[in-house]
């Protein structure tokens, strides 16, 4: 049996492998680990939130029961974005936070993610400790030491919106986004309320789509993974630009006034330049993954900004940022972290910061994003190979080196072994799509020949 926790908590088919029984057991085990070591008389506290999936209702009930049975007082804040729960975990004097969500996954999936005090992701060792306690017998609290469960009246969401507004200097008297029309696709997810509210309260004229969650329509042909509706609405409503979140609103991608998608790499480029201009980009460094487009790396180099690359996954970006005090990082998917304001990716925060840059500069988003000229990219999956030899086979490495010499400064090659399958991904970026396709096809053939099982 493999490890229960993945790169972003426990995730899978709701009521398949992610059951009510598992949620209850995880609540008990997490309480024993995350609420341990406290002073005598301390009542452990946790904040719990979820996205709009129908399965979140029974999973939340089970999780809360497990936490309370282990002596934890639970504040259930209901439907709120993952970054909202992270923010609340850092400000409400709780021992830990929990999010019930499967992010951008389809409705039938769900997941459970724990946040340590301060709103940060758990280390692998802590997750392993929680997993090791699942199903164990222990001396449970009784009498008045069992936990209580209370529901939030909406104040938590209001506090989160105020925090978001403060990041761009907005309040009741100052509306820095006045004059902007912004189309917003909420993916029928966790930001369906707070996303439009934060933008409107900051002065924007907001056109909202996909903000009527029914428990089953989250991420359904909408949101950051499916921006087609937003592209059409931006053009039809003559909006200055649009933004799209995913189900738990830790991602944001944008659409310019002409309906062209502005991805996470381009958004990071815009925000990095904004922070550098303000003298607020720590170490003049941007943290990206190895899958970020070479066009972003070249644009940042030309702007005097260093890029640090990590493995794919927001947790690796976060680890690098925390280890070295960097202030901005993220992924091409739109999962962008601004550590001055958040401990995790925050789609609504990203939207506000992007809107503020558009307003302050007076430029169109298309012009701002144009600083990052995305190079054509081709990805080929090569199955049925010995992925363990991808980094050691001399003939393959020689072919990669020859390809990189041919591509020059405006191209690169990346071989990525799959984490779960006998498969190697060949990614090539080049000056033209034709060249990228040709080099990727050639190298895929070499991988197939050299690493065949």
């Amino acid at each position: 049996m493999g490890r229960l926790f993945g790169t972003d908590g426990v995730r899978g088919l709701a009521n398949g492998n992610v059951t009510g029984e598992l949620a209850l057991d995880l609540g008990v085990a997490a309480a024993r680990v995350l609420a341990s070591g406290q002073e005598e008389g301390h009542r452990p506290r946790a904040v719990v939130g979820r996205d709009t999936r129908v399965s979140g209702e029974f999973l939340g009930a089970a999780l809360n029961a497990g936490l309370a049975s282990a002596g934890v007082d639970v504040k259930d804040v209901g439907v709120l974005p993952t970054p909202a729960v992270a923010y609340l975990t850092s400000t409400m004097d709780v021992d830990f936070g929990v999010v019930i969500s499967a992010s951008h996954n389809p409705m039938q999936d769900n997941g459970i993610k724990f946040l340590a005090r301060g709103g940060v992701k758990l280390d692998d060792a802590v997750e392993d400790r929680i997993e090791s306690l699942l199903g164990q017998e222990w001396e449970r609290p009784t009498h008045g030491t069992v936990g209580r469960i209370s529901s939030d009246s909406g104040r938590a969401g209001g506090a989160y919106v105020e925090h978001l507004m403060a990041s761009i200097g907005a309040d009741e008297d100052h509306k820095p986004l006045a004059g902007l029309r912004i189309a917003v696709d909420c993916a029928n997810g966790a930001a369906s309320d707070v996303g439009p509210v934060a933008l409107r309260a900051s002065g924007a004229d907001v056109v909202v789509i996909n903000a009527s969650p029914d428990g089953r329509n989250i991420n359904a042909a909408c949101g950051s993974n499916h921006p087609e509706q937003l592209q059409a609405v931006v053009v039809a409503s003559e909006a200055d630009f649009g933004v799209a979140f995913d189900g738990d609103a830790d991602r944001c991608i944008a659409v310019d006034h002409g309906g062209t998608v502005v991805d996470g790499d381009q958004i990071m480029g815009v925000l990095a330049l904004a922070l550098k201009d303000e003298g607020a980009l720590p170490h003049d460094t941007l943290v990206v993954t190895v899958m970020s487009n070479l066009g972003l790396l070249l644009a940042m180099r030309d702007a005097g900004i260093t890029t640090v690359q990590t493995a794919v996954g927001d947790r690796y970006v976060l680890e690098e940022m925390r280890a070295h005090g960097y202030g901005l990082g993220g992924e091409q998917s739109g999962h962008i972290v601004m550590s001055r304001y958040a401990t995790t990716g925050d789609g609504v925060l990203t939207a506000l910061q992007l809107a503020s840059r558009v307003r302050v500069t007076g430029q169109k988003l298309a012009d701002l994003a144009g600083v990052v000229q995305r190079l054509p990219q081709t990805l080929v999956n090569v199955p049925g190979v010995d992925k363990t030899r991808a980094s050691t086979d001399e003939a393959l490495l020689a072919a990669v080196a020859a390809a990189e010499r041919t591509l020059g400064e405006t191209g690169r090659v990346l071989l990525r072994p799959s984490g779960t399958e006998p498969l190697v991904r060949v990614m090539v970026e080049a000056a033209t799509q034709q060249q990228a396709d040709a080099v990727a096809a050639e190298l895929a053939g070499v991988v197939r020949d050299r690493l065949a099982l």
Side-chain angles (χ1 to χ4, degrees), residues 251-277:
R251 296 184 181 192
C252 172
I253 61 129
V255 171
D256 70 24
H257 72 284
T260 300
V261 171
V262 177
D263 69 11
D265 282 345
Q266 292 171 298
I267 294 173
M268 282 191 287
V270 173
L271 297 182
L273 291 175
L275 291 173
K276 188 173 190 296
D277 287 350

Side-chain angles (χ1 to χ4, degrees), residues 55-359:
S55 59
E57 296 173 2
F58 78 79
L59 290 173
L63 176 80
N64 289 347
L67 292 172
S69 75
V72 176
D73 288 338
V74 178
K75 175 66 73 172
D76 190 327
V77 296
V79 173
L80 278 180
T82 290
V85 178
Y87 169 71
L88 295 169
T89 303
S90 72
T91 59
M92 289 180 62
D93 189 29
V94 297
D95 296 284
F96 60 96
V98 195
V99 182
I100 301 170
S101 173
S103 190
H104 57 282
N105 282 27
M107 176 275 293
Q108 61 266 27
D109 293 339
N110 216 327
I112 299 171
K113 175 165 60 179
F114 295 95
L115 300 164
R117 178 180 285 273
V120 298
K121 291 189 175 185
L122 302 186
D123 293 334
D124 287 349
V126 178
E127 291 179 339
D128 289 342
R129 175 64 177 153
I130 292 171
E131 186 170 342
S132 73
L133 295 180
L134 288 175
Q136 278 193 5
E137 290 296 323
W138 67 297
E139 187 175 346
R140 297 173 180 272
T142 58
H143 298 79
T145 58
V146 298
R148 305 292 299 272
I149 301 172
S150 61
S151 297
D152 181 74
S153 61
R155 287 179 294 179
Y160 173 61
V161 168
E162 290 179 3
H163 159 69
L164 294 173
M165 293 170 61
S167 77
I168 59 169
D171 55 32
E172 289 185 1
D173 301 317
H174 181 51
K175 309 295 183 185
L177 302 187
L180 285 181
R181 174 174 288 180
I182 304 172
V184 183
D185 183 344
C186 298
N188 292 311
S192 292
D193 288 329
V194 295
V197 166
L199 288 162
R200 285 197 179 107
S202 299
D205 174 16
V206 182
V207 180
V208 183
I209 61 173
N210 297 312
S212 301
D214 62 9
R216 295 173 173 81
N217 58 1
I218 185 171
N219 295 324
C222 60
S224 60
N225 279 9
H226 302 280
E228 298 81 13
Q229 285 188 58
L230 180 64
Q231 290 173 281
V233 168
V234 167
V235 175
S237 65
E238 297 183 345
D240 291 284
F241 66 95
V243 291
F245 310 128
D246 64 336
D248 71 335
D250 65 352
R251 296 184 181 192
C252 172
I253 61 129
V255 171
D256 70 24
H257 72 284
T260 300
V261 171
V262 177
D263 69 11
D265 282 345
Q266 292 171 298
I267 294 173
M268 282 191 287
V270 173
L271 297 182
L273 291 175
L275 291 173
K276 188 173 190 296
D277 287 350
E278 297 168 10
L281 183 63
H283 311 293
D284 284 342
T285 296
L286 171 66
V287 182
V288 300
T289 75
V290 293
M291 291 302 290
S292 275
N293 193 277
L294 180 59
L296 172 62
L297 310 187
L298 296 176
M300 294 299 94
R301 183 198 64 185
D302 292 345
I305 295 173
T306 301
T307 50
V308 174
Q309 293 178 276
T310 74
V312 175
D314 65 280
R315 73 179 302 154
Y316 303 112
V317 172
L318 283 162
E319 286 172 3
E320 186 70 20
M321 291 176 68
R322 287 201 298 266
H324 300 284
Y326 299 135
L328 179 65
E331 298 183 282
Q332 194 177 66
S333 63
H335 193 284
I336 297 169
V337 184
M338 302 185 74
S339 59
R340 182 178 178 181
Y341 307 112
T343 59
T344 187
D346 189 327
V348 184
L349 173 67
T350 298
L352 286 163
Q353 293 290 324
L354 192 62
S356 178
R357 182 62 169 173
V358 170
R359 194 72 181 91

